Amino acid sequence: MAWVLKMDEVIESGLVHDFDASLSGIGQELGAGAYSMSDVLALPIFKQEDSSLPLDGETKHPPFQYVMCAATSPAVKLHDETLTYLNQGQSYEIRMLDNRKMGDMPEITGKLVKSIIRVVFHDRRLQYTEHQQLEGWKWNRPGDRLLDLDIPMSVGIIDTRTNPSQLNAVEFLWDPAKRTSAFIQVHCISTEFTPRKHGGEKGVPFRIQVDTFKQNENGEYTDHLHSASCQIKVFKPKGADRKQKTDREKMEKRTAHEKEKYQPSYDTTILTECSPWPDTPTAYVNSSPSTAPAFTSPQQGTCSVPDSNSSSPNHQGDGVSQPSSEQLQPSATIQETQQWLLKNRFSSYTRLFSNFSGADLLKLTKEDLVQICGAADGIRLYNSLKSRSVRPRLTIYVCQEQPSGSPLQGQRLAGGGGEGSGGTPYVYHAIYLEEMVASEVARKLASVFNIPFHQINQVYRQGPTGIHILVSDQMVQNFQDESCFLFFTVKAENGDGIHIVLK
């Protein structure tokens, strides 16, 4: 035991001696005459870190920069994306700047590049239904475009093009070595895509996005170089100036501590780098002429384009108000759900619901469908999923008497009350009229009671003293809702067809 304690003392004394020796001379090596900050920075560790900084900066250095000459809002919090207010139809300059360093991208030196400027939705929900929203805008404002180039004011742009099927995009060629400015005009306003409820709704934000491409080996401008975008809101003429003034006055009323939480307003808006816009050349082409695009207009509210194949709300061929096709079942597969959407005139949403089964679609609430499809189509899809029919304009109840072969005159009700001559109670059928015309009455009676429609010559109503009155459109319009009728059929006088007599 004593030997172990002695060994511990020897080891401890040796360690102390070595530590003291290692500290000796430190003051001499780092004396006032020998110490230098340049010597410290010259150490290998600092050389390696310093040499890596430019490399890291080079990877993040964008080749181009786009600056829009419009002031940003002062009512944007720190670390949030800037927001710029624009006036509808006013020309705004976007400066196309070459931001390359010496030797960067030599393949485009002395060559033209192509840029596409788009106005797109900022809200992800509206991005999913962009096709329907833009088609609705097109239907409501035929001949107009969402985005235009002010060519007389623009500088340095070449071969400008606008595609009639892409109302929200313009494209042009330009030389990065020369001064280039594109003046754009946005013709849609933010509130045009907001569901109208009680007035005063906030407009949806848009994005201005610029995508730039170079030529590939085939001479086509498809090789992506750079993309950048910014967030905007578009107001009616002079509205952006009033909104900017309002935001500025609100900020002036805040305390100095509160102001520190907000960004200052800048005279120009710098577009920040982003992912390229998906290349969907047919994204804005309406492939189905019967599609009913939903759109909200400040004056007209929600409207839709009617289906050219529809003559009545439910396309019914019988007398009972039913959905236009069979109800979607929860057990429906993805393929069956797609077929149901096509059959019920929702072809424009098949791609959006491409991974939805019947159960998935039926789980969506009315609010979900309105957000996804817009107000008009969202409500229509919800009603179709829930098998909700349009309320008929008139309902009548009809029962057929047993044929007696009696002539047209002299027909009397056999028995009294609600029973036939043999004591059998009369069974009535409901007839739902969507059009208040006599032909609709004949058509629904033929459908419910399996009477060939082409054989019905006239429909009469038995009046006082047994007279028979021709049923006209005016008479149908004066029918009381939920009226009850017995009817019988007799052969026409010429033996060709039959007459129906209501009583």
Side-chain angles (χ1 to χ4, degrees):
M1 187 65 179
W3 179 80
V4 173
L5 293 174
K6 185 177 181 180
M7 288 296 297
D8 290 341
E9 292 175 0
V10 172
I11 292 172
E12 183 177 355
S13 62
L15 290 174
V16 172
H17 179 269
D18 292 341
F19 181 70
D20 290 340
S22 65
L23 292 177
S24 63
I26 287 182
Q28 298 175 0
E29 292 175 2
L30 297 179
Y35 180 81
S36 171
M37 180 59 73
S38 60
D39 293 337
V40 176
L41 293 176
L43 293 174
I45 182 174
F46 289 103
K47 282 186 177 181
Q48 183 178 1
E49 182 179 347
D50 185 63
S51 62
S52 65
L53 289 176
L55 293 175
D56 185 62
E58 287 175 3
T59 58
K60 295 182 179 179
H61 189 75
F64 303 106
Q65 191 173 57
Y66 318 114
V67 180
M68 183 165 62
C69 296
T72 60
S73 169
V76 177
K77 291 187 177 182
L78 291 173
H79 311 299
D80 286 350
E81 186 179 11
T82 60
L83 176 61
T84 304
Y85 303 132
L86 304 183
N87 287 316
Q88 179 188 27
Q90 182 173 329
S91 296
Y92 291 91
E93 179 186 9
I94 297 181
R95 296 173 183 171
M96 318 290 289
L97 305 177
D98 185 359
N99 201 35
R100 293 176 296 161
K101 290 185 176 181
M102 186 68 68
D104 286 355
M105 296 186 180
E107 67 274 12
I108 65 172
T109 302
K111 295 184 179 181
L112 300 175
V113 295
K114 182 180 82 170
S115 287
I116 302 176
I117 301 180
R118 293 180 175 89
V119 55
V120 296
F121 291 113
H122 174 77
D123 190 347
R124 185 63 57 87
R125 173 183 61 83
L126 290 173
Q127 289 178 12
Y128 291 144
T129 60
E130 181 176 276
H131 168 49
Q132 289 75 32
Q133 298 290 341
L134 298 187
E135 278 296 308
W137 193 90
K138 176 182 176 181
W139 279 102
N140 198 61
R141 296 176 58 176
D144 289 349
R145 293 184 54 83
L146 283 87
L147 182 68
D148 268 327
L149 270 177
D150 190 345
I151 297 178
M153 295 189 67
S154 299
V155 178
I157 63 175
I158 306 170
D159 192 19
T160 60
R161 295 184 182 182
T162 56
N163 190 333
S165 65
Q166 298 185 8
L167 304 178
N168 64 328
V170 294
E171 60 182 62
F172 53 87
L173 303 179
W174 60 287
D175 187 350
K178 298 179 180 179
R179 178 196 167 195
T180 304
S181 290
F183 282 77
I184 64 167
Q185 298 171 337
V186 183
H187 299 294
C188 57
I189 59 177
S190 294
T191 53
E192 286 184 288
F193 300 92
T194 303
R196 303 289 291 178
K197 295 180 180 178
H198 308 290
E201 287 82 11
K202 292 184 178 180
V204 299
F206 300 123
R207 301 195 70 81
I208 294 291
Q209 176 154 338
V210 182
D211 299 292
T212 301
F213 304 85
K214 67 177 181 180
Q215 283 182 310
N216 59 14
E217 55 186 11
N218 298 324
E220 300 173 345
Y221 290 93
T222 56
D223 289 352
H224 179 259
L225 291 173
H226 181 246
S227 293
S229 65
C230 67
Q231 184 182 190
I232 64 168
K233 277 191 176 182
V234 185
F235 297 82
K236 290 183 178 180
K238 304 294 184 180
D241 306 321
R242 290 191 293 268
K243 177 63 174 173
Q244 187 80 359
K245 180 182 178 181
T246 302
D247 286 356
R248 186 169 58 250
E249 291 174 349
K250 287 181 179 179
M251 293 306 300
E252 290 174 354
K253 295 178 181 179
R254 296 182 181 273
T255 64
H257 178 69
E258 290 176 332
K259 289 181 181 179
E260 293 177 355
K261 301 178 182 179
Y262 291 85
Q263 302 179 20
S265 176
Y266 300 98
D267 293 335
T268 58
T269 303
I270 299 177
L271 279 67
T272 56
E273 284 192 279
C274 64
S275 301
W277 192 254
D279 186 14
T280 53
T282 59
Y284 310 137
V285 177
N286 188 3
S287 58
S288 173
S290 63
T291 303
F295 175 68
T296 302
S297 164
Q299 295 83 12
Q300 300 177 0
T302 302
C303 65
S304 63
V305 180
D307 179 36
S308 59
N309 298 325
S310 113
S311 58
S312 65
N314 288 328
H315 309 277
Q316 295 171 2
D318 56 8
V320 184
S321 182
Q322 293 179 350
S324 59
S325 62
E326 67 276 5
Q327 184 179 0
L328 181 67
Q329 300 298 325
S331 59
T333 64
I334 293 177
Q335 184 177 2
E336 291 170 345
T337 303
Q338 293 287 301
Q339 293 174 353
W340 184 89
L341 289 169
L342 291 170
K343 196 171 183 179
N344 286 267
R345 298 178 291 117
F346 294 103
S347 58
S348 55
Y349 300 100
T350 52
R351 186 173 65 175
L352 183 63
F353 296 117
S354 58
N355 294 321
F356 278 65
S357 64
D360 296 332
L361 205 56
L362 289 167
K363 288 177 183 177
L364 296 177
T365 64
K366 184 177 181 179
E367 290 72 20
D368 294 335
L369 293 171
V370 168
Q371 284 189 344
I372 294 172
C373 305
D377 280 351
I379 294 173
R380 189 167 68 90
L381 178 54
Y382 176 79
N383 289 339
S384 297
L385 290 171
K386 305 302 179 184
S387 297
R388 292 192 174 185
S389 303
V390 178
R391 183 177 179 84
R393 298 180 63 185
L394 179 68
T395 302
I396 60 176
Y397 305 112
V398 180
C399 175
Q400 183 177 14
E401 284 188 337
Q402 295 297 324
S404 60
S406 302
L408 192 57
Q409 290 82 10
Q411 290 288 343
R412 298 292 178 186
L413 177 62
E419 294 186 353
S421 57
T424 305
Y426 293 114
V427 177
Y428 287 80
H429 294 265
I431 302 293
Y432 300 101
L433 299 180
E434 295 165 2
E435 297 181 29
M436 306 283 280
V437 293
S439 60
E440 179 82 349
V441 175
R443 186 174 66 85
K444 293 297 179 70
L445 286 171
S447 176
V448 171
F449 295 98
N450 297 319
I451 302 172
F453 179 66
H454 66 278
Q455 293 186 7
I456 300 177
N457 288 351
Q458 299 292 346
V459 179
Y460 297 99
R461 182 176 183 182
Q462 186 169 293
T465 68
I467 64 173
H468 295 87
I469 308 166
L470 180 66
V471 175
S472 63
D473 294 347
Q474 188 175 4
M475 180 182 288
V476 174
Q477 293 166 9
N478 284 277
F479 278 173
Q480 291 187 358
D481 195 26
E482 297 192 334
S483 298
C484 298
F485 296 96
L486 286 171
F487 84 92
F488 58 90
T489 61
V490 294
K491 290 184 179 181
E493 294 81 356
N494 57 7
D496 185 14
I498 60 173
H499 300 303
I500 292 180
V501 182
L502 301 174
K503 60 180 181 179

